[in-house]
Structure formats: structure tokens, C-alpha cells
Amino acid sequence: MADVFTPQGPSLRELAVQALSSIERGYDLLAPKFDLTPFRTPDRVLDAVAEALVPLGPFPAGLDLCCGTGAGVHVLAELCERHVTGVDFSAGMLTVARSAVPSVAGGPEVRWVRADVRSLPFRRCFDLVVSFGAFGHFLPEERPVLFAQAHAALRPGGLFAFPLGAPPRVGSGAYWATWGFDGAMRIRNALWRPRFVMYYRTFPLSEVREELARAGFAVSTLPLHAFGKRPDGSPRARLVLARRE
């Protein structure tokens, strides 16, 4: 625990209370200290995604799904010319984001919207939609709705982009850690209400590709070179690019 949490971060008791709450309430509670936890998307990931998207832009308007405290909105602000929007259903996370990512003179306007990404209030408003580390909060049966909402929020030709790490090697420490976490979460959700949905093994690239295609996207991927290659030569991380046709 000491290796991943700073002394200024949430205490074990605070994390336990958060884990036994609903997703929305849990993130409201965690919001003031969220950026001091390992749950925030690392700058290394944000920088790699920004670098990969630069040649595909610039983009007039961008949207960050499940924006949390605004780390992804920083990326959009570098890529978009007119305005960027962060959407999240946690009021606590948005409160932190508003103070952490102000609009800057000469840069795009920054907007914040509280909404459930499964029911977005946007239609053909954006040229780029991104999301970082949020998909584990959605059950597989919810993905078609999520992808349909992203598709509807984009203008024709717009791009839905998100990073996706390769699955851990079978039998490795990371493999058993993700199995253990998901197993513990399933037991927790079977015994306790409200549920807290967060799984690491429910977002395989092959299924995601098919579901994005059914939602109306043309799908491709780019390797994120900053993370290197696996022993078989495949990339350790990819940027999924889903373009609204």
C-alpha cells in the first residue's frame, strides 16, 4: 500500500468506505484525493495518446467521457481549437476538475457537464471523443449503448479514441492480480448493495472491435510505442481509433 499511495492520499478506511458505496457516491467521496492515488491515468499514458493523435488533428471540438478530475481534458486542450468538454456523473469529480483545468486565454473553451455517458445530451457536437481508464465500470452488455452514445455525439467523420493495454501474459503476476481483483469484486457485488462495478478483464479488443463496428464505426489501431513490445512482437498498448463513417 505504501508503494502506491502517498501519505496525503486516502486512508485505508476511506478506501473501504468508497469501495462499499455506489460508483457515483464512491467517486464523490474519493474526488478530493483522487489525483493522489494510482487510479488516475498516468501522465505517461496521456502523453502517448496525445502524441499519437497530433498527426490526426487538429480537431475543432473534443469530449472526454468519464472525465474524472480532468486529466484527459488536458490532452484535449492540446488537440482541439474551439472547445473541449468533460462529462462525468460524479459531482465531486467535476468540482475538482473545474478548479484543476481552467480555461486558458488563447486556448479552447473548457466546459463541464454532469451526465451519465449511457445517456449523453449531445448529438453531432464533437470531432474527437476520448476516454481514459473508465471502461471497467461498464458491464459487457452495456457497451453497445455506450458506443452508440459516443457515435451519436460525433460529427460525421469524427473520431472516438482510447488507449487499451494488452492482456497480461497467462500465469504472470499481473494475470493473477487481475483475476483476483475481478473475483473479489464479483463476490462483493453478489453480497453487497449498491454494486460497485469495476472489472479489469471485461474489455477484450476482439469483442470491442466488433461492437464498435456494429455501432457504425470504422475501427483501426495504432501501437503506442512508448510502452514497447511483448515477447511475441505485439505492442504492449494500442490506441483504438473508431471513426464515425
Side-chain angles (χ1 to χ4, degrees):
M1 189 71 72
D3 293 336
V4 292
F5 288 97
T6 68
Q8 295 78 31
S11 66
L12 184 60
R13 179 185 179 280
E14 289 173 322
L15 289 170
V17 171
Q18 183 250 350
L20 294 175
S21 304
S22 66
I23 302 175
E24 181 178 356
R25 176 60 177 158
Y27 277 108
D28 283 348
L29 293 170
L30 188 59
K33 299 181 179 180
F34 181 78
D35 287 349
L36 299 173
T37 74
F39 308 134
R40 179 190 182 275
T41 302
D43 288 339
R44 184 184 180 198
V45 174
L46 299 170
D47 293 343
V49 170
E51 181 180 359
L53 287 174
V54 164
L56 306 179
F59 305 90
L63 173 68
D64 183 9
L65 299 180
C66 305
C67 66
T69 54
V73 173
H74 278 290
V75 173
L76 288 178
E78 297 174 5
L79 298 168
C80 299
E81 297 176 319
R82 298 178 187 170
H83 62 84
V84 300
T85 300
V87 62
D88 204 287
F89 75 164
S90 166
M93 298 292 268
L94 289 173
T95 296
V96 174
R98 286 188 183 96
S99 61
V101 193
S103 293
V104 177
E109 178 188 357
V110 179
R111 306 169 179 174
W112 306 100
V113 175
R114 186 184 180 195
D116 188 326
V117 296
R118 293 164 294 192
S119 183
L120 289 172
F122 309 118
R123 291 296 179 270
R124 297 192 175 198
C125 298
F126 300 99
D127 308 281
L128 174 63
V129 174
V130 298
S131 192
F132 294 91
F135 296 126
H137 290 305
F138 300 94
L139 297 171
E141 57 266 27
E142 296 176 301
R143 288 199 302 258
V145 172
L146 175 65
F147 294 160
Q149 290 295 299
H151 185 274
L154 284 164
R155 297 186 179 99
L159 189 64
F160 179 29
F162 52 87
L164 187 62
R169 179 177 55 82
V170 175
S172 66
Y175 174 86
W176 291 115
T178 54
W179 263 97
F181 182 92
D182 283 10
M185 186 61 71
R186 292 186 185 280
I187 293 171
R188 178 254 187 245
N189 287 331
L191 299 176
W192 189 268
R193 291 292 184 274
R195 294 188 306 174
F196 190 97
V197 175
M198 181 61 213
Y199 298 110
Y200 284 102
R201 303 182 65 258
T202 58
F203 203 77
L205 178 58
S206 58
E207 294 180 15
V208 167
R209 273 181 175 272
E210 293 176 3
E211 291 166 1
L212 286 167
R214 285 197 292 269
F217 289 105
V219 186
S220 61
T221 65
L222 287 175
L224 294 176
H225 298 293
F227 298 93
K229 296 182 179 181
R230 308 172 80 192
D232 64 2
S234 62
R236 295 187 183 277
R238 306 171 190 260
L239 183 64
V240 178
L241 302 172
R243 190 172 294 279
R244 175 171 175 164
E245 299 181 292

